[in-house]
Each structure stands twice: as structure tokens, then as C-alpha cells.
Amino acid sequence: MGEFVGKVVLITGASSGIGAETAVHFAAEGAGLALVGRDEGRLEKTAQDCMAKGLAKDKVLTIKADMCVEEDVKRIVESTITYFGRLDVLVNNAGQAKLDLLRSETVMENFDDLLKLNVRSVVQLTNLAVPHLITSKGSVVNVSSLAGKRVAHMSFSYNILRAATDQFTRCCAVDLAPKSVRVNAVNPGAIKTPLLTGFGIPAEQIEEVCAKMHPLGRIGQPTDVASAIKFLASNAASFITGETLSIDGGRHAYCARELGTI
Ligand SMILES: NC(=O)c1ccc[n+]([C@@H]2O[C@H](COP(=O)([O-])OP(=O)(O)OC[C@H]3O[C@@H](n4cnc5c(N)ncnc54)[C@H](OP(=O)(O)O)[C@@H]3O)[C@@H](O)[C@H]2O)c1
């Protein structure tokens, strides 16, 4: 138990992957948690994992909500404040990825879907959370992607909209710095979560294929990202804002030799 005792962390996309692991990391520090997702069963599993770290049952609030529904997003902040009375850290993690090229038939549909979930809902939720974060002098961590900094293969819409996440991070950081609210992002490479299975790589080959993408020679794990999120939200990062931190085994620094490799 540490510096997050008595603080409240709101995590979207907490029912799976990076968000679920982030919840467990903050639970181990004693934070009150507001956990958001659409799948109640998987949200409950995350809540149980948090309690297994020693967090009291009344320190975990699960909120079933669809980030693409404005009324749901409003309810997320209202429920958190009604239950805990404060908000210290917002982790904007819920998101999706889709494969496309500019010339794909699906590009406009993909672009609109990803804009709504990966960008618009984050702007809305952050806007609603800001008064509470100003009161607590809290912080925001956005989960972006390597694709915000580099052009990932077959990810036209996702690349553009993750660049928007990075610029959103910088805009918020500058906007909120006078109020002592810090805003940063993490930019993961390929992390072993259910999201990766949507990219057409056979499940048994995912680790091997993704290991080759990263100079450090392995796939990323949710804990790699969760520990960076916790760091950026902590006092250890008190002079860091507007940062987009690569968690990608060095992939952002690497120049691929063969076109068509991702
Ligand atoms: N895995 C990677 O390689 C990787 C790399 C770079 C960036 N990222 C980013 O990391 C974030 C987390 O991804 P992940 O890899 O952990 O994927 P994941 O395991 O598939 O988790 C995605 C989470 O987002 C939630 N979500 C999706 N649509 C939602 C909606 N409309 N409303 C509310 N919640 C919604 C899901 O919850 P429900 O299904 O319960 O709604 C789930 O908890 C994403 O933003 C992704 O872009 C991932």
C-alpha cells in the first residue's frame, strides 16, 4: 500500500487487457477504483483480482457503460463522484483497433467508429472529469499507441486517430498545467491482449510474430504498460506533463528494412 491510499482512479476499458492489469496495479497501492466496461462479467473478474491484492470491496466500483453513448459517459463521472466524492487519476484506456488502408471500402466506417470511441468519447469524459481533477490536482494518463508516432501497417484510420490522442494529450497538458493537473500518454507496441487477436495472426503464433516487431525481442505484456501508467500518475512523475511515453521494446526507434512488415 502506498501513495494512492485515499485517492480515486477511474479506468476505462478495465474489463480486459491493459485496463484490467492497470486496475490491479493501482489496487496494490490501495487506490479506490472506478472500473468501466460494457461486459459486466469481465468487469467483476477485474474487481475480484483487485480485491485479491488486498483492496476492500467498498473501494471498488464497477460501472457498466458504453463509451460511445454520451449519457453513459456522463453517468461514469456522476457515479464515481457520488460514490467516492473525489477523482484523482483518469486513465483513458478503452479503445479498439481496425485494419484498413485509405483505399479500403471500409475506411470511412472504420474512421467514424474509431473517432467516436478512441477520440470523441475521451474528449467528453476528460471534459467532465476536469473540474474534479482540478480540485484534487490530479492527473490523466491516455493510452495511445506506437501508431500515434509511426505508421503501422494496414492501420490507416487507427494511425491518424492515435496521432489525435497524442496531440490531445499535449493540448490538455498545456491547458491544465496552470491548474496543476498533469496529462500524459503511453504509446504501447504490440501487447499481449485480446485486441491483438483481431489482426488475423493465428493465436499460437502471436508471441513469435510480435517478438520480431520489437528490438528487445519479445511481445509486450499488459504489466509493462500498467507499470508505466502508474508511474506517470505518481508523484515520481510530478514534473512530467505532455509526454507520450513509448512502451514498445524500442520499436519506435527502429527503421524496418522490409516494407510490409508490421
Ligand atoms: N494490445 C495492443 O497491442 C495495444 C497496442 C497499442 C495500444 N493499445 C491500446 O490499448 C487500449 C486497451 O487495449 P487492450 O489491448 O487492452 O485491448 P482489449 O483487451 O481488447 O481491451 C479493450 C477494452 O476497451 C473496452 N471497450 C471497447 N469498446 C468499448 C466501448 N464502446 N465502451 C466501453 N468500453 C469499451 C473493452 O471493454 P468491454 O468489451 O467490456 O466494453 C475492454 O475493456 C486500447 O485503447 C488500444 O488501442 C493496445
Side-chain angles (χ1 to χ4, degrees), residues 12-19 36-40 42-43 65-68 92-97 117-118 143-146 158 162 187-196 199:
T12 66
S15 54
S16 179
I18 292 168
V36 181
R38 292 168 304 178
D39 186 306
E40 281 178 299
R42 284 193 280 110
L43 261 188
D66 185 337
M67 290 296 294
C68 294
N92 284 313
N93 165 74
Q96 253 192 358
L117 175 60
N118 291 6
V143 179
S144 181
S145 170
L146 171 69
Y158 187 73
R162 281 305 179 211
N187 295 63
I191 309 297
K192 195 175 176 197
T193 73
L195 180 138
L196 271 189
F199 289 105

Side-chain angles (χ1 to χ4, degrees), residues 95-120 144-166 199:
Q96 253 192 358
K98 289 176 188 263
L99 293 177
D100 60 16
L101 295 166
L102 175 57
R103 57 183 185 271
S104 302
E105 272 182 24
T106 53
V107 71
M108 294 317 299
E109 187 186 335
N110 286 357
F111 192 89
D112 287 347
D113 288 350
L114 291 179
L115 177 66
K116 202 169 179 185
L117 175 60
N118 291 6
V119 182
R120 193 181 190 285
S144 181
S145 170
L146 171 69
K149 298 182 174 184
R150 300 287 181 267
V151 177
H153 184 61
M154 282 288 294
S155 302
F156 180 81
S157 299
Y158 187 73
N159 290 332
I160 294 168
L161 295 165
R162 281 305 179 211
T165 306
D166 288 358
F199 289 105

Side-chain angles (χ1 to χ4, degrees), residues 117-148:
L117 175 60
N118 291 6
V119 182
R120 193 181 190 285
S121 77
V122 175
V123 176
Q124 191 201 353
L125 182 62
T126 309
N127 168 264
L128 295 170
V130 153
H132 308 288
L133 293 169
I134 289 174
T135 301
S136 64
K137 299 192 190 309
S139 78
V140 179
V141 183
N142 298 317
V143 179
S144 181
S145 170
L146 171 69

Side-chain angles (χ1 to χ4, degrees), residues 78-89:
E78 286 164 5
S79 308
T80 303
I81 298 303
T82 302
Y83 190 79
F84 289 111
R86 62 182 295 143
L87 177 63
D88 298 276
V89 179

Side-chain angles (χ1 to χ4, degrees), residues 49-66:
D49 291 347
C50 291
M51 288 183 248
K53 288 285 172 188
L55 199 64
K57 193 173 176 5
D58 66 356
K59 295 275 188 216
V60 189
L61 173 70
T62 57
I63 305 169
K64 179 182 156 95
D66 185 337

